[in-house]
Amino acid sequence: MQKPLTNLARRRLLAGSAGALAAAGMGATGLARGSSATPAAPSAAPAAKPLPPYAAWKDPDSVIVHSANTIETRRSAFGDGVITPSRELYVRNNLPPPDESVLDDRDAWAIEIQGVKQPRTLTLGELKTLGVETMATVLQCSGNGRGYFPHKPSGTPWQVGAAGCVLWTGLPVRALVEHLGGLEGDPAYLTGTGGEKLPDGLDPNTVVVERSVPRDTLQDAMLTWDMNNEPLSLAHGGPLRLIVPGYNGVNNIKYIKRLAFTADQSPAKIQQTSYRLAPLDAKPGPEYPSAWAMTPKSWITAPGADGAAVKAGRQLVRGVALGGIHAVKRVDVSIDGGKTWKQAALVGPDLGKYAWRQFALAMELPAGEHLLASRVEDTEGNVQVEERVENVRGYMNSSWRDHALKVTVSQA
């Protein structure tokens, strides 16, 4: 577990790490962001949609608004900083967020803790007296990369932008469990329940956002109230959110009102039949794998992202790479669609195994069409897959081939 960062350290991280790129001898070519033009394929909606009121503070030039509950970061907007600025971070809500009034008195927010020897309901103000740590993690929607599935699964056609690297500050769950006397019995799962308002007249289990993950996640899980050195916004789960490092976004419960250690997985639909990796010809159900831990994944962010012009000559090929539940070991880059590979440099600060790493490789790009690809390996020897794992809902696409970036290089 990482030690808390000072405010000064966090400000430095949020400022980005373009200086680290220069120090790595990568040169300045290609460091400027690309344009905010709509990606070529798969195409986004032709007319820009307005940001919803609860996320109106987002940077409209850095995001694609798919709907009121789904906002994607543009590929060109990842830039040079390890930490994704809050104004550019994607949004995915399974239900509309609570009323903004829940932020009027943040410390009054209450969470029920069950499955421990001393079960209690604690306020956020009380949680803040029990300890604090800061950790960087990748936050990624299970459907990131869904837009590349040829069968066009239902749901938002995310490309690469339903992901970001974020600084969280809050209370480690292990410290909370210790404060409450330890676990009761031998529960198998950690279960979090969201505090969104449920529609009237429906069975709560059909709509509630309630997810169970393996119990061993409690060692690094956190109850967080601060994101990127600011109080947690409503768009991202404020006033209190469960963070399960290395696990897909749906398991990181927003507006958390109940944390329980349970013998069984939640009976909620979102646990039993949603977010399951079912084959194309099957109906999703509990017999199929759940969208839990993320797998190694990377993608190129420059040059040529979002249609930016690329001139022949020396270019800095850049991108981001994550290892999921393990740290990033190395990243290889190809400019010919995977025929040949060269190892890139890992640049910028290493914020721990759950954060992503930036990578960069200076290369000569001749005029013509190129397919820029990246492939990450984690510290356990797991290598990013070439082909997607087909599944009916388009979850957990880590294919380096799908995420490759086609660019047309013109004469300098």
Side-chain angles (χ1 to χ4, degrees), residues 31-47:
L31 282 179
R33 287 186 177 180
S35 71
S36 58
T38 303
S43 61

Side-chain angles (χ1 to χ4, degrees), residues 386-405:
E386 178 176 356
E387 304 295 344
R388 77 190 81 85
V389 177
E390 300 289 354
N391 63 92
V392 66
R393 292 299 304 275
Y395 292 134
M396 296 180 66
N397 185 358
S398 294
S399 161
W400 63 254
R401 187 167 295 280
D402 278 354
H403 290 77
L405 179 64

Side-chain angles (χ1 to χ4, degrees), residues 15 33 51 58 73 106 121 170 187 198 215 241 273 313 334 350 352:
R33 287 186 177 180
L51 287 159
K58 294 282 182 180
T73 306
R106 291 171 176 268
T121 296
L198 304 184
R215 185 185 74 185
R241 182 172 188 172
T273 60
S334 173
D350 181 353

